[in-house]
Amino acid sequence: MNNFKERYANALMNTFGPPQLMLERGEGAYVWDAEGRRYLDLLGGIAVNSTGYCHPRVVSAVSQQIATLGHTSNFFTTAPQLELAERIQGIFGAEGYPADEVRTYFANSGAEANEAALKIARLHKPGGRVIALEKGFHGRTLGALSITHKPAIREPYEPLPNNVTFTPCSVEGITEAFDADVAAIFMEPIQGEAGVRPVPREVLLAARKLADEFDALLILDEVQTGIARTGRWLCHSDTVRADIVTLAKGLGSGFPIGACVGIGKAGKLFTPGSHGSTYVGNPVCTSAALATLEVLEGLLEHVAQTGEWLRHQLEGIGFAVRGRGLLLGIEVKEAKKVAAKLLEEGFIVNTPNEETIRLAPPLVITARELEPFVEVMARVVA
């Protein structure tokens, strides 16, 4: 397998650049490459592998389901689809929402969940503008890209869907952008691709107040932060209530599933024919998600405590750390060089920019497994 980079270049489009490794198997928080070398995965497929690799509960659920019923069209429903939608109602109810007012549209990814949310915003106020935050990221499909701020990935595909206003992440910025033409404001509780930067509490509260004042929807993108990543089911729920919440990544333990969750009126604007997709809510992916939620229900406190322990350890050796739970950004110089050194030492991390190492490991990871990483951070960076 030594020629995997050449084979990759000859067979796949160059959308991701040359692969760093050829991974062969995984277990818990670890993966092994084709040479048999073990790595502690502190990225988790970019916050996706929430239950780790090959969790027996997920493997069992998926295996049983695919041997029973793998796919149906959405002219029909299945038990896993219904049970997952009801489970999401329960999660939102536990986080302070009126559970009976929660409705879910399943998608295949976070970008697709955000596309659905954008369409609901158009139905809510036809022709209305959408406000999005500078440095925000909501996906790479054309609709989601229209509310993604980074010029380098947005501008090559212009003209994009218009009526989007980008504003600084401040009370003053969003206040200035709001008027009666605004249909929705999109924001992440923690801006992951910006370097794990939490949106200030006062900005979230101001967004809710302005949305109410101008009859707009508050749409919170929890694709990366939701589903126990920050030690809560929903990162925002101790601060504010949204009209729409989008979820994905950690929801399916690596199986492609997202969710656009509408509350109240926002959950009832779609009608037959207004949206759809072939694979959404299929029984295999919804079975994976049900098993994932079952595992994560017992890990919320563990995630919060492990994240705080790791933050304390890193700050103790001189690093500034941002984020919450097990979504952390570590400030470093020359992040790409640091990440390359860490990979040599057997740790997989990510660099959303040149000043940040992003950590989003499997939520089953333990402090004992993390101790060697803290030791290497002290040595490698020094």
Side-chain angles (χ1 to χ4, degrees):
M1 292 298 179
N2 291 332
N3 66 338
F4 72 87
K5 291 187 179 183
E6 181 181 347
R7 291 172 57 201
Y8 187 99
N10 288 336
L12 281 85
M13 290 188 184
N14 188 27
T15 49
F16 302 106
Q20 299 176 62
L21 302 169
M22 185 170 180
L23 298 179
E24 199 165 75
R25 66 184 181 94
E27 183 180 342
Y30 295 95
V31 291
W32 284 259
D33 67 14
E35 305 296 320
R37 188 177 182 201
R38 189 181 77 165
Y39 301 83
L40 183 64
D41 184 4
L42 299 177
L43 183 58
I46 313 184
V48 167
N49 297 320
S50 51
T51 59
Y53 292 89
C54 300
H55 193 287
R57 179 69 190 89
V58 177
V59 171
S60 174
V62 169
S63 299
Q64 289 180 33
Q65 185 59 51
I66 202 165
T68 305
L69 183 66
H71 174 76
T72 70
S73 77
N74 279 299
F75 295 124
F76 310 96
T77 191
T78 62
Q81 184 186 72
L82 277 174
E83 289 169 19
L84 180 59
E86 291 168 345
R87 183 73 177 89
I88 288 172
Q89 286 181 318
I91 284 172
F92 273 70
E95 294 288 297
Y97 284 91
D100 60 346
E101 288 293 309
V102 172
R103 300 290 185 274
T104 297
Y105 168 79
F106 290 117
N108 298 304
S109 67
E112 289 187 31
N114 285 331
E115 292 275 354
L118 272 172
K119 291 181 75 173
I120 293 172
R122 300 298 192 203
L123 292 173
H124 171 68
K125 191 179 289 186
R129 284 190 300 121
V130 172
I131 296 173
L133 297 186
E134 294 176 359
K135 299 184 179 179
F137 182 90
H138 301 286
R140 294 175 182 266
T141 53
L142 287 179
L145 195 58
S146 73
I147 53 173
T148 292
H149 178 252
K150 191 174 182 179
I153 64 173
R154 180 166 46 85
E155 290 177 353
Y157 301 100
E158 293 177 340
L160 294 165
N162 56 14
N163 282 3
V164 176
T165 301
F166 290 104
T167 178
C169 182
S170 67
V171 173
E172 296 77 15
I174 64 173
T175 301
E176 185 176 341
F178 252 99
D179 61 29
D181 290 334
V182 173
I185 179 168
F186 260 87
M187 56 176 60
E188 305 156 88
I190 300 175
Q191 294 185 312
E193 296 299 319
V196 192
R197 297 188 177 277
V199 170
R201 176 183 176 86
E202 61 268 21
V203 175
L204 289 169
L205 292 171
R208 177 69 274 170
K209 181 175 181 294
L210 289 162
D212 290 339
E213 181 180 347
F214 291 103
D215 187 29
L217 301 179
L218 173 58
I219 302 175
L220 292 181
D221 178 341
E222 289 242 30
V223 167
Q224 188 165 163
T225 55
I227 310 300
R229 172 57 53 185
T230 63
R232 304 178 61 89
W233 284 122
L234 303 171
C235 179
H236 72 272
S237 61
D238 58 349
T239 302
V240 74
R241 295 287 175 268
D243 299 297
I244 296 175
V245 180
T246 57
L247 304 167
K249 287 193 179 289
L251 179 59
S253 291
F255 283 82
I257 185 169
C260 176
V261 183
I263 297 90
K265 178 185 175 183
K268 299 173 184 176
L269 287 171
F270 275 159
T271 55
S274 57
H275 196 44
S277 183
T278 299
Y279 301 105
V280 298
N282 73 76
V284 176
C285 290
T286 49
S287 291
L290 280 167
T292 298
L293 296 178
E294 182 181 305
V295 173
L296 296 183
E297 187 169 22
L299 290 176
L300 295 172
E301 186 176 350
H302 166 82
V303 171
Q305 292 178 349
T306 305
E308 275 305 301
W309 176 89
L310 181 56
R311 177 195 291 273
H312 179 74
Q313 296 297 312
L314 291 167
E315 290 176 340
I317 56 177
F319 291 102
V321 182
R322 298 183 298 271
R324 189 173 178 183
L326 286 172
L327 177 62
L328 299 176
I330 309 168
E331 289 188 16
V332 298
K333 295 179 180 179
E334 299 183 294
K336 286 185 170 53
K337 289 185 178 180
V338 175
K341 284 281 189 181
L342 288 168
L343 191 64
E344 291 175 5
E345 295 279 351
F347 301 96
I348 296 172
V349 298
N350 171 250
T351 57
N353 56 45
E354 264 303 317
E355 298 80 39
T356 309
I357 295 291
R358 173 170 50 180
L359 307 181
L363 302 181
V364 296
I365 201 166
T366 65
R368 178 172 292 183
E369 290 170 324
L370 286 162
E371 284 173 352
F373 168 71
V374 176
E375 295 169 4
V376 170
M377 281 296 285
R379 174 167 52 83
V380 168
V381 176

